Amino acid sequence: MPTLGAIADDFTGATDLATMLVSRGFRTLVAIGADAVGTEAADGADAVVVALKSRTAPVGEAVADSLAALRALRAAGCCRYYFKYCSTFDSTPRGNIGPVIDALLDAVPADRTVVAPSFPATGRTVRDGLLYVHGEPLDRSPMRHHPLTPMTDASVERLLRPQTGHPVRHVALDTVRAGVAELRAAVDSADAAGALVVVDAVTDEDLRTVSAATEHLALVTGAAGLALGLAGPRPGAARATPASRPGDPAVVLSGSASAATRAQVAHGRARLPHRKLDIAALRADLHGAVAELAAFAREQWRRDPALPPLVYAVEDLADLEQSTPEGETPASDLIERALAALAVELVEHGARRLLVAGGETSGAVVTALDVRGLAIGAPICPGVTWARADGERPSVDLALKSGNFGDTDIFTEAWSTLV
C-alpha cells in the first residue's frame, strides 16, 4: 500500500517526480488522473503520483482536479502528500500554484508548507528568494518568452503573494546551511504559522537538508528535486521493465516551442528523417494531414528502423502564430490534436517507443492513447525517463519530456538507455 501521494500539474512533471522517487527506492505508479487511482491499481506501489493537466487550466478546474486527486490518494492509503509543479514555477498572476496549495492545505488539513522549486540537476536554484535558471534570473531566462506562462519576475515571494490567501515567508540559504534542526525550527516558528514558506536551495545537499527538515509536514510542495532527501523501502529495485524490445518502431513527437526543444529539433533534423507540422494543412484537413504524417513515419521505419522519424511543430520562434484567424482553431490546439492523433495512428501500426516533447503535448498524447498508468523505467537524463504505459491499447514505452529539459542530442540518444 502506498504511503506517499503526489499531485503533479502536468504529465511530464509527473514522470519527472516519479523518476526521482524510483531513484530513491519507491516503487512508483503514475496514475493518469484521479480516476486511475485505486487500491487495486496502487497495490504494490510505495508511492503514487497523479498526473493532471492543470498547469494552465482555469483556476477553479485546477483546484477541483487537485482536490479529487487528494481524495483518491487518501482512499488508496496515502498519509503524506507532495504537490509537484515546474522548477521554473510556471504560472500566471492568478495561479495555479497558489490556489492549489491553498486548497490542499485546507483539505489535508495542514497549517503550513514549504515552497521549494529548486532542482539544481536541471539548473534551477533559489537564492535570496529569487529563482535562477542556469545562473540567470527567471525573468531574464527564455521563460520570459514562454507562450503560455511568460515569467517576468524572478521573486518567488512576489509571484506567490497575488495567488494565495496565506502569508508568504522566506527562509534564507544561511539557515538552510545551518542544518536540519535550525531549518526545522524556522519552518515551525510562530512567524511561519499558516504560511507558505519559500526556502532557498542551491545544491543537492541543500535540498536534502530541506527534505529532512520537513519530513514531519503532511504536505510539501516543490519541483522534483525536493524528493532527493526521501528514502523508500526498495533501494535499487524499484524500476519497471520496458514494454518494447530493441528494434521496435519508434518516433519523436515534438510540440514544444521552448529554447531547449528548438535546439533538440535542430540537432534531430540534421540526423533523423523529419517532417514539420503544417498549420494551414491541419486547419484544412486535420485527419488527412495526420494520415500523411503517419504514412511518412511508416515509410521511414521500412527504410531504416534504426532511425526514428521526428515530427515537430516549432524550429524557430517565428513559427509561432501571433494571432488566430477569426473563427479558426488556435495553432496550439491544432498541434496538440494532430500529434495526439498521430500517436494513436502510429501505435495502431506498431510503434512501441515514443518520445514526446512538451508538457501540453505529452498530456494530449497520453490522453489520446487511453493510458491509465505509467510504470517508471530507465532514466534518460535529469527530469526525463522512460515509462511503460499501460491501458486499453498495447503497452508502449513513453518518454515524456518537459520542453525545457534534456540534452541537445536527446532525440537521437534517448533510445540507448531503453534496453
Side-chain angles (χ1 to χ4, degrees):
M1 177 183 291
T3 57
L4 177 64
I7 300 164
D9 67 359
D10 79 345
F11 287 25
T12 57
T15 58
D16 180 10
L17 175 57
T19 302
M20 184 67 75
L21 292 174
V22 167
S23 75
R24 303 304 302 156
F26 292 86
R27 190 160 59 186
T28 304
L29 168 72
V30 176
I32 307 304
D35 291 344
V37 181
T39 54
E40 183 177 346
D43 185 39
D46 308 302
V48 177
V49 182
V50 180
L52 300 179
K53 199 176 179 185
S54 59
R55 180 170 299 170
T56 56
V59 172
E61 181 181 324
V63 167
D65 288 350
S66 300
L67 290 176
L70 179 69
R71 291 191 294 271
L73 291 168
R74 182 176 282 142
C78 299
C79 55
R80 191 172 188 233
Y81 305 98
Y82 189 139
F83 173 42
K84 193 276 176 193
Y85 39 79
C86 187
S87 54
T88 47
F89 216 71
D90 297 22
S91 57
T92 67
R94 293 189 60 211
N96 290 334
I97 294 174
V100 170
I101 295 176
D102 286 359
L104 294 176
L105 277 173
D106 289 344
V108 168
D111 79 326
R112 70 193 73 199
T113 190
V114 290
V115 175
S118 296
F119 195 174
T122 58
R124 280 65 165 167
T125 58
V126 177
R127 184 191 290 269
D128 300 324
L130 301 178
L131 180 53
Y132 293 84
V133 179
H134 296 294
E136 283 189 306
L138 178 65
D139 57 333
R140 299 181 197 169
S141 76
M143 284 301 298
R144 182 177 181 85
H145 305 291
H146 193 284
L148 297 178
T149 52
M151 304 305 293
T152 58
D153 194 341
S155 169
V156 180
E157 294 174 83
R158 286 196 297 267
L159 289 168
L160 262 181
R161 284 198 177 101
Q163 299 184 18
T164 178
H166 291 262
V168 180
R169 302 287 184 259
H170 171 239
V171 175
L173 190 61
D174 57 353
T175 301
V176 175
R177 292 188 173 171
V180 171
E182 289 289 331
L183 177 55
R184 180 173 296 191
V187 171
D188 288 347
S189 69
D191 184 59
L196 311 188
V197 184
V198 178
V199 183
D200 285 358
V202 175
T203 67
D204 286 353
E205 191 57 37
D206 295 336
L207 281 176
R208 292 188 185 96
T209 299
V210 176
S211 185
T214 58
E215 63 183 2
H216 63 300
L217 297 181
L219 171 70
V220 294
T221 85
L226 187 56
L228 272 171
L230 301 178
R234 308 172 198 270
R239 183 184 299 176
T241 56
S244 65
R245 298 170 297 179
D248 280 351
V251 65
V252 181
L253 305 176
S254 176
S256 172
S258 75
T261 300
R262 296 198 309 273
Q264 292 155 0
V265 165
H267 184 275
R269 277 170 46 88
R271 295 161 178 81
L272 301 174
H274 55 272
R275 283 285 179 86
K276 183 178 181 180
L277 294 181
D278 183 331
I279 299 301
L282 294 178
R283 283 204 172 105
D285 180 6
L286 189 142
H287 179 76
V290 168
E292 288 185 10
L293 291 168
F296 156 74
R298 292 165 61 194
E299 174 62 17
Q300 299 311 311
W301 292 339
R302 187 190 66 79
R303 291 183 179 182
D304 189 346
L307 290 178
L310 162 65
V311 179
Y312 66 97
V314 178
E315 60 184 309
D316 187 275
L317 286 178
D319 296 330
L320 297 179
E321 190 173 68
Q322 298 304 310
S323 62
T324 302
E326 185 175 354
E328 298 287 357
T329 303
S332 58
D333 292 350
L334 287 170
I335 290 166
E336 287 184 35
R337 289 168 53 191
L339 292 179
L342 180 59
V344 171
E345 182 86 5
L346 293 180
V347 168
E348 289 177 352
H349 285 92
R352 294 296 178 265
R353 298 177 166 199
L354 294 85
L355 196 166
V356 185
E360 299 299 316
T361 305
S362 293
V365 167
V366 168
T367 301
L369 290 175
D370 298 317
V371 174
R372 296 283 292 170
L374 297 169
I376 301 304
I380 298 171
C381 61
V384 189
T385 188
W386 286 108
R388 189 185 69 236
D390 299 315
E392 298 299 320
R393 289 182 169 80
S395 294
V396 300
D397 288 310
L398 281 177
L400 306 177
K401 187 195 83 67
S402 166
N404 298 308
F405 283 2
D407 295 331
T408 301
D409 62 359
I410 191 171
F411 291 167
T412 57
E413 299 304 312
W415 321 96
S416 63
T417 68
L418 187 62
V419 294

